[in-house]
Amino acid sequence: MNSPTPQFVPSRLSIYEPIHQIGIWGENFKRNGNPNTSTSLIVEVDNKLENESETTSHEMLAPTNNYEQEASKPIDKIQRRLAQNREAARKSRLRKKAYVQQLENSRLKLIQLEQELQRVTQQGLYMGGVSEGSHIGFSGTVTSGIAAFEMEYGRWVDVQHRQICELRTALNAHISDIELRILVKSGMGHYFELFRMKSTVAKADVFYVISGVWKTSAERFFSWIGGFRPSELLKVLVPQLDPLTEQQILEVCNLKQSCQQAEDALSQGMEKLQETVSSTVAGGPVAEDSYIPQVATAMEKLEALVSFVNQADHLRQETLQQMSRILTTRQAARGLLALGEYFHRLRALSTLWATRPPEPSLP
Amino acid sequence: MDKVMRLTTERGVVLFSKSSCCLCYAVKILFQELGVTPTIHEIDQDPEGREMERALMRLGCKAPVPAVFIGGKLVGSTNEVMSLHLGGGLIPLLRPYQAFC
């Protein structure tokens, strides 16, 4: 009774996995053209799977009616059969390799698509949800670090705005230094809170932080490794702090210089990282469709990006701390007000720009 | 550990780095900017690299590289170097080893 076992579905149905078994089946079917030989073929395929070598030839000569006929054929026909089997095995190995390669490529594409989808969803949520002063809660969701950050950042901006108003009122009302000190400390602490938030979300998605998509467009224009340039910060602050003592002027000058040097060093490090990732991704033969080794290596190198973002934020924090050390309480309060007001105006600029009237169309 | 200890007691500015590390590259650039040529040990090119990495971590460095020693004393990693520099404390430490050509 030539009933095939479940593993050996005839090839013409073409629904059988893995592919190479169909191949072997198909070829053998064609060659014999006799359905009664199915028993012998089962033996052949079975042995092929276990041990693709010439020693299987003996096992293939198992005593069935059909093989008795074959045993009487000349030896060279058997040799030819062996060669054909080896060829079939080789081809099926190649097909399997191609199939696996295809699976790997599809997997990578799937990951890319998922990330793209997540990014677009986040951006959609952000654009729709957060605007100056008003904050719509996100219904629903996404437990990812990015969504959490965006909510926190929305609150951060609101608190920032409130603090600026408090500072302005306090400075105009000429409150005591002790009370002013409290406002200065909470203002500084608020910035440090932002750096902590950024550090957390950078671990989840460093590209998100670096892209600055969480900031308004005008702020993004000035972005340097995921935030403002420390040297820029000093340029904005210093004119607002007059009058400074001689000692203070000297210290601020030194701070400007060392800040600039540190910034340059990090910038060059970033350039080096870009070069490294670029040459890694571009490397290898383009003629082949497989790019997985290059992409995998590039992934490792990108880990360094998180360190750079953290270092840049560290530089920002350090700059703020040094300034607060150099300045008097009142000067520090004025500085914080100036800085906060600057970013507030940049955000207003972004809104204004986004809502500007369309250009009149030409007649 | 011995190798690391021996190398750190070399006079001057010593930097433990990895040739593939871009943050180490940034620190090298900073020293260059300040007119200092540190003695650089690329531990990824050293046969005892793994050991050295462990030794550096045991000395208190959170990341094994970059690790900066000045005059035999551990200054720290990028964080510490940057903080020191902005605070004005780095240049005085480097003064004996600066060479502006």
Side-chain angles (χ1 to χ4, degrees), chain A residues 20-80:
Chain A
H20 67 268
Q21 288 188 344
I22 293 180
I24 292 164
W25 251 88
E27 284 181 18
N28 287 330
F29 235 67
K30 277 183 237 138
R31 246 182 294 121
N32 289 308
N34 180 358
N36 289 332
T37 61
S38 54
T39 316
S40 60
L41 292 172
I42 289 170
V43 176
E44 246 177 75
V45 172
D46 213 356
N47 290 322
K48 196 159 293 358
L49 290 176
E50 281 172 344
N51 180 7
E52 291 168 326
S53 71
E54 284 177 49
T55 54
T56 57
S57 57
H58 301 297
E59 292 163 63
M60 281 193 274
L61 299 174
T64 65
N65 331 1
N66 306 300
Y67 268 105
E68 273 168 14
Q69 291 167 9
E70 295 203 317
S72 63
K73 284 185 185 158
I75 299 294
D76 59 15
K77 279 207 177 158
I78 292 168
Q79 294 289 11
R80 188 156 39 94

Side-chain angles (χ1 to χ4, degrees), chain A residues 100-216:
Chain A
V100 169
Q101 199 69 280
Q102 202 185 42
L103 277 179
E104 288 286 297
N105 288 353
S106 302
R107 189 177 143 266
L108 259 181
K109 283 194 189 120
L110 183 63
I111 292 169
Q112 282 170 3
L113 280 172
E114 276 178 350
Q115 284 184 341
E116 184 63 40
L117 188 64
Q118 193 192 53
R119 189 189 68 81
V120 169
T121 315
Q122 303 299 353
Q123 218 172 346
L125 285 174
Y126 175 72
M127 300 292 217
V130 180
S131 57
E132 184 63 31
S134 77
H135 179 67
I136 305 165
F138 300 121
S139 65
T141 58
V142 198
T143 50
S144 80
I146 292 178
F149 174 82
E150 291 191 335
M151 268 182 65
E152 279 185 78
Y153 182 65
R155 280 196 289 267
W156 188 91
V157 171
D158 290 342
V159 172
Q160 177 77 337
H161 190 66
R162 184 170 46 78
Q163 283 185 345
I164 296 169
C165 294
E166 277 174 7
L167 273 170
R168 190 178 286 124
T169 312
L171 283 167
N172 289 338
H174 305 292
I175 67 169
S176 72
D177 265 17
I178 299 173
E179 285 166 311
L180 210 51
R181 180 109 219 111
I182 297 170
L183 287 179
V184 167
K185 269 186 90 80
S186 70
M188 295 282 283
H190 197 55
Y191 280 109
F192 301 162
E193 180 61 35
L194 178 62
F195 300 141
R196 267 195 299 277
M197 283 160 56
K198 281 168 73 184
S199 175
T200 307
V201 77
K203 287 196 197 95
D205 183 354
V206 70
F207 283 127
Y208 173 78
V209 178
I210 286 229
S211 73
V213 71
W214 48 281
K215 292 191 287 185
T216 62

